[in-house]
Structure formats: C-alpha cells, structure tokens
Amino acid sequence: MDPRHDNRSDGELLAAVGDRDRGALNELYRRHGSWLTVRLSYRCSDRGSVEEAVQDTFVKVWKLAGRYDGSGEVAAWIWGIGIRTLLHRIRPRKSLLDRLVSMRPTHASIDVTSAEDQVLLSVQHGDVGGAFGSLSPELRSVVQATVLDGLTCEEAARMLNIPTGTVKTRMMRAKRELREALL
C-alpha cells in the first residue's frame, strides 16, 4: 500500500485507530483536518482557538475510536466531536460564585450560610476586599477574570481583548500589590 495514500474507507481507518494504528489516524487527519478547520472557522474567528480545537478533536478521535458504533458517516462523527470541542473551548464558564451557588443544597427550611458564602463575604468586606479594591482597574479586571471567574489566561485575554502575556504580567503585578497591601 502506498504510504502517501491509504485506500481504506473512513470506517476501516477509524476501526484501525481503535486498534491504535497511528498511520490510520494520520490518514483521517489528512482527509478531514482541512475541512474541519474551515467549518470551525465559520463558528469562531480566533484562528488559535480553531487550530487547538482541531488538534484536540483528533486526540479525542484517538481516544474514542473504539466507541464509534458504525452508524452514520465518520465525517459527521468527527464534526460532532469538533464542534463540541470548539464550543467547550470558547464558551464562557460560569463565575466561581455562580458555580458555588448552583452546588448549594436547596433546603427551604434550613437557613444556613454556606462556607462558600462566608468566604466570599469575608473577601468582599475584609482585608482582602480592601486590598482588591485598591488595585487599578486593569489589574482588578485580570484578577476578576482569572481568580473569581475561573478563566484561563488565554480565555481572560480573549475576554479582555489583551494579549495573553499582558494577562500574566498584570496578574504577577496584582499578586505583588495584594501581598504588599496585606502585610
């Protein structure tokens, strides 16, 4: 078989990927990587996010190939993985407070302040809240996005429309200023 062209069907290639055939995965990527990149680019203008989503998609294809049940087109199966991977990458996560509140038990007859609420209140009204309030708006927004909202540096950079390196630099400055204010 010519190593530059694999004559197996997509289904046969996916079955081979399930048996850990790296050449089969490479052929699936060769066949489907380009169109997947183009289609995901229609959904997201951030080229880096699209490229990472495509790479992550084929990592998932490698891991999940054994789960493909043979129904439908392999390309549609890959598309489903790809779009979910992209959406997971770009979809804003709920803030830490929203996530903590959603985990709280809903017992109407019990009026107990949760540990999470106590921590957040002490942060807001204690020394940390005062130190946080003394930060410049640029530093505060980075701390808000990364610490309180739980975004990665890359997600915060996209949200704040600044380079990732700037997020990291501002976070280092914010930590230093908070440390000095709390000593």
Side-chain angles (χ1 to χ4, degrees):
M1 184 180 323
D2 182 356
R4 292 170 298 188
H5 185 68
D6 194 322
N7 292 323
R8 292 179 283 182
S9 71
D10 284 351
E12 292 169 329
L13 287 171
L14 195 55
V17 170
D19 292 332
R20 298 300 177 237
D21 179 343
R22 290 176 188 244
L25 179 66
N26 187 48
E27 179 64 17
L28 280 175
Y29 182 82
R30 189 190 67 74
R31 289 182 189 179
H32 300 286
S34 297
W35 70 258
L36 183 61
T37 301
V38 170
R39 284 191 67 188
L40 292 178
S41 295
Y42 292 138
R43 305 289 172 98
C44 176
S45 63
D46 179 8
R47 181 113 176 114
S49 291
V50 170
E51 289 172 358
E52 289 175 12
V54 170
Q55 294 302 315
D56 290 348
T57 296
F58 283 93
V59 168
K60 288 178 183 176
V61 166
W62 177 259
K63 291 178 180 177
L64 301 174
R67 292 188 187 174
Y68 178 69
D69 64 5
S71 64
E73 293 293 320
V74 171
W77 185 73
I78 292 172
W79 167 250
I81 294 171
I83 191 62
R84 284 188 303 277
T85 301
L86 178 67
L87 290 175
H88 178 73
R89 177 170 292 289
I90 64 174
R91 184 178 292 144
R93 297 191 291 204
K94 289 183 179 179
S95 72
L96 176 60
L97 181 60
D98 290 342
R99 286 183 277 161
L100 293 173
V101 167
S102 70
M103 293 179 354
R104 180 187 305 154
T106 56
H107 302 293
S109 62
I110 301 174
D111 187 21
V112 176
T113 304
S114 70
E116 294 88 359
D117 286 343
Q118 290 174 1
V119 168
L120 289 172
L121 284 171
S122 68
V123 166
Q124 184 177 6
H125 298 293
D127 294 339
V128 174
F132 181 70
S134 70
L135 293 174
S136 68
E138 294 83 15
L139 298 181
R140 229 183 0 257
S141 65
V142 168
V143 172
Q144 170 76 35
T146 57
V147 176
L148 300 178
D149 294 340
L151 299 176
T152 65
C153 288
E154 292 79 15
E155 292 167 332
R158 280 195 301 272
M159 184 185 80
L160 298 170
N161 200 26
I162 58 176
T164 303
T166 303
V167 171
K168 292 176 182 179
T169 300
R170 288 181 183 175
M171 193 61 194
M172 286 188 319
R173 283 183 45 214
K175 285 179 184 179
R176 184 178 59 244
E177 288 185 22
L178 286 170
R179 195 176 305 117
E180 290 170 1
L182 293 169
L183 290 178

